[in-house]
Amino acid sequence: ELIPGAIFKDSFLPGRRPYALMLLFCLLGLSFGQIQLYRYFQAQRTFSLSTSLGTILLPEDQKNKILVQALAGVRERIGENETLVAFPEGVYLNSLTGRASVWGFPHFFPSDFDLFGEDLFIAELEASPPDYIALVHRHTPEYGPSTFGQNYALRLASWLRSHYRPVEVFGAMPFQSDAFGIMLAERKKP
């Protein structure tokens, strides 16, 4: 039975049958509302992103269009045997393009610097520098300091500037305004 018959018997919650029915209708109403909300948000997903992992449906907005451009740029510029690390977040660039990362860290947020220290990240970069880096516009106010290279990771950002040169920007230059963008940079030749 979809709804147990015991709920509608007088012996179940004697004298409270109207309350049980009211509860049932409230639950049905909430369920219907959730379904409608889900349908609304799914209808917004009209932008198709095809990857080697499958197709992802996303809302059609400027950020996702820039992401598609960046993914195409990574595939064109970075060879399959070359490495890429994204700062402060962007491991999805690796996943969606099949490009390897030399690091086990999925992101570089203020909490990561509190846990591991900035010296560890710089030492790892010096020991095993990636062929390319991506600077992804991602503010982190939920962790306190909000801007990579400006409010935290100052020495790491300086190290990146001295060892990498920008080669392409998709959208806006990261952290120069509120607009989304991704900057791709390659390691400088010695």
Side-chain angles (χ1 to χ4, degrees), residues 9-189:
K9 292 185 180 174
D10 284 334
S11 61
F12 181 79
L13 299 173
R16 297 192 174 123
R17 186 173 177 189
Y19 297 112
L21 287 172
M22 206 169 17
L23 177 62
L24 176 66
F25 286 119
C26 285
L27 290 174
L28 288 173
L30 285 172
S31 298
F32 180 75
Q34 283 295 102
I35 291 169
Q36 294 306 312
L37 194 59
Y38 174 79
R39 288 179 63 198
Y40 170 78
F41 284 112
Q42 285 302 101
Q44 305 302 309
R45 297 173 179 264
T46 59
F47 190 65
S48 179
L49 171 60
S50 295
T51 72
S52 60
L53 303 173
T55 300
I56 303 169
L57 291 176
L58 302 166
E60 189 166 348
D61 62 14
Q62 191 62 28
K63 182 178 178 180
N64 288 327
K65 290 177 182 180
I66 292 168
L67 175 60
V68 168
Q69 293 170 359
L71 292 172
V74 166
R75 283 189 202 101
E76 289 171 17
R77 184 175 293 275
I78 301 175
E80 290 185 15
N81 296 325
E82 293 180 302
T83 55
L84 168 70
V85 174
F87 296 91
E89 179 184 47
V91 73
Y92 52 84
L93 292 172
N94 299 87
S95 299
L96 297 176
T97 61
R99 301 311 184 261
S101 174
V102 294
W103 287 22
F105 296 99
H107 47 70
F108 302 90
F109 293 156
S111 57
D112 300 318
F113 288 87
D114 292 341
L115 284 171
F116 305 111
E118 194 166 6
D119 292 335
L120 171 74
F121 295 123
I122 293 172
E124 289 283 330
L125 275 171
E126 289 174 340
S128 184
D131 298 306
Y132 289 84
I133 63 164
L135 185 60
V136 180
H137 186 89
R138 163 69 160 92
H139 286 293
T140 56
E142 66 272 27
Y143 296 101
S146 65
T147 307
F148 180 86
Q150 295 175 20
N151 303 115
Y152 72 98
L154 302 176
R155 288 187 301 120
L156 177 58
S158 176
W159 191 95
L160 293 172
R161 280 190 297 276
S162 67
H163 290 81
Y164 289 84
R165 68 175 191 85
V167 292
E168 198 163 357
V169 176
F170 307 96
M173 180 62 95
F175 305 118
Q176 302 301 309
S177 68
D178 287 333
F180 181 74
I182 298 173
M183 181 191 73
L184 196 59
E186 69 180 350
R187 192 171 63 223
K188 293 177 180 175
K189 307 296 181 217

